[in-house]
Amino acid sequence: MSRLLQTCLLSISLFTAGVAAAEKLTVTELQKGLDHPWAVAFLPDNQGMLITERPGQLRLWQPGKGLSKPISGVPDVWAQRQGGLLDVVLAPDFPKSRRVWLSYTEADERGRAGAVVGVGTLSEDNTQLSGFKPVLRQMPKLSGGANLGSRMAFDRDGMLYITFGDNFQAETAQDLSSLAGKVIRLNADGSIPADNPYTDKPDARGEIWASGVRNPQGIALNPWTQEMWENEHGPRGGDEVNILRKGKNYGWPLATWGEAYGGGKVVGSQGSKAPGTEQPVFWWKVSPALSGMAFYNSARFPQWKNSLFIGALKDKSLIHLTVNGDRVTEKSRLLKDRGERIRDVRMGPDGYLYVLTDESDGKLLKVGLAE
């Protein structure tokens, strides 16, 4: 081994050790016994958190009170493979309207599934969701239970962004008449914004904001640029992070850094790049199997300034990345010693990270830095 290579390896080792020391965590198990929890949303004024469980339960967790019974009024869901009750987000005017948005899956008479998003009103005592109404259905239904996507986030203007996976039918991601493999943008009332990119094209769905995504499992608003970011699963390798911009094509399956499950080139792929498609701001050669993500924008832990956290299912970790404009760098992987699939991560109003583990005995964790 050359002296230069030895020096480089020593530097990397010292850097890794320094990162580990700098990220000594405090982890508190707030709740056990959750049945494959999928998403968490914070109620205002320290009222607690709404948590979805994939089999179909929406629950409230409150400090000092623990986990509630299932909230009534939640729609029936098709809970098979990756399907079920998925994301939950509060409307921007929640303190006044009490509106809660849910994403979930339903199936048709052929047993083919698709994602649905809808909205209902949460009672003042947090026990009932009334008047729930589906707003948008992923059509046509194509999924056997895979690549459903179905994350949601509001931007600062009150626009709702929704990720729909390609339903394991890769070619649909390039078909603008289909909602599969797309990022959707709606007004807060569920209507189509007039400035969406395809509203004047009769052969395209007006709800579409961006196309060419595979299985988007995380979406979050960048608090510094006000742009919406998304992450998604590649096929075998090629998990990626993208900045979602109007009318852009994110490549799947024309361009991918991954390969087919059996090895070799993905059918329809032109390689890692293709004309007219966007490149990810970050990608992984080996898939961690990405899930929920959150930007860190709190003064509680200054060491986490300009950070992005992404859960990993296969890697069973919380991936810590640093963000500088459009540049993203992986810093470390946290919680690996627990050996649990990380399904969601959100920054709480108190500046701690709140993490859900996707297990039959799932947990709600509160994660911070040792001070």
Side-chain angles (χ1 to χ4, degrees), residues 113-256:
V116 185
V117 295
V119 62
T121 302
L122 185 64
S123 61
E124 291 288 342
D125 64 1
N126 301 316
T127 63
Q128 181 181 10
L129 196 65
S130 64
F132 187 87
K133 179 179 72 172
V135 172
L136 184 65
R137 287 181 162 91
Q138 188 184 37
M139 297 294 290
K141 289 182 171 63
L142 299 169
S143 178
N147 291 18
L148 292 157
S150 203
R151 285 285 182 186
M152 302 182 290
F154 282 96
D155 69 11
R156 292 291 175 85
D157 296 322
M159 298 293 184
L160 176 62
Y161 291 73
I162 305 161
T163 67
F164 281 159
D166 72 351
N167 292 170
F168 218 65
Q169 308 286 329
E171 67 281 358
T172 63
Q174 295 296 322
D175 179 2
L176 294 178
S177 68
S178 168
L179 294 181
K182 307 299 188 303
V183 178
I184 307 304
R185 179 175 177 258
L186 301 177
N187 290 314
D189 63 1
S191 61
I192 299 174
D195 61 343
N196 270 8
Y198 304 111
T199 53
D200 60 347
K201 296 187 177 182
D203 57 344
R205 294 291 299 257
E207 299 95 338
I208 295 172
W209 179 255
S211 61
V213 298
R214 184 177 180 273
N215 187 16
Q217 291 288 300
I219 188 169
L221 182 68
N222 184 315
W224 309 295
T225 66
Q226 303 308 311
E227 290 186 299
M228 199 66 74
W229 288 38
E230 166 259 11
N231 73 54
E232 62 186 78
H233 291 199
R236 193 170 85 170
D239 289 12
E240 59 188 49
V241 178
N242 295 298
I243 302 175
L244 299 175
R245 290 174 175 149
K246 181 178 180 178
K248 296 299 184 180
N249 182 344
Y250 291 88
W252 177 254
L254 304 177
T256 176

Side-chain angles (χ1 to χ4, degrees), residues 54-84:
R54 192 157 46 81
Q57 296 80 238
L58 176 66
R59 297 181 185 269
L60 173 68
W61 183 91
Q62 291 178 300
K65 296 182 180 179
L67 197 65
S68 74
K69 295 180 180 179
I71 293 170
S72 65
V74 174
D76 292 334
V77 306
W78 183 85
Q80 298 185 34
R81 299 188 67 193
Q82 297 170 16

Side-chain angles (χ1 to χ4, degrees), residues 243-282:
I243 302 175
L244 299 175
R245 290 174 175 149
K246 181 178 180 178
K248 296 299 184 180
N249 182 344
Y250 291 88
W252 177 254
L254 304 177
T256 176
W257 289 94
E259 61 180 21
Y261 282 113
K265 193 175 180 180
V266 169
V267 174
S269 170
Q270 300 175 24
S272 57
K273 299 179 181 180
T277 67
E278 301 298 301
Q279 281 290 293
V281 294
F282 195 82

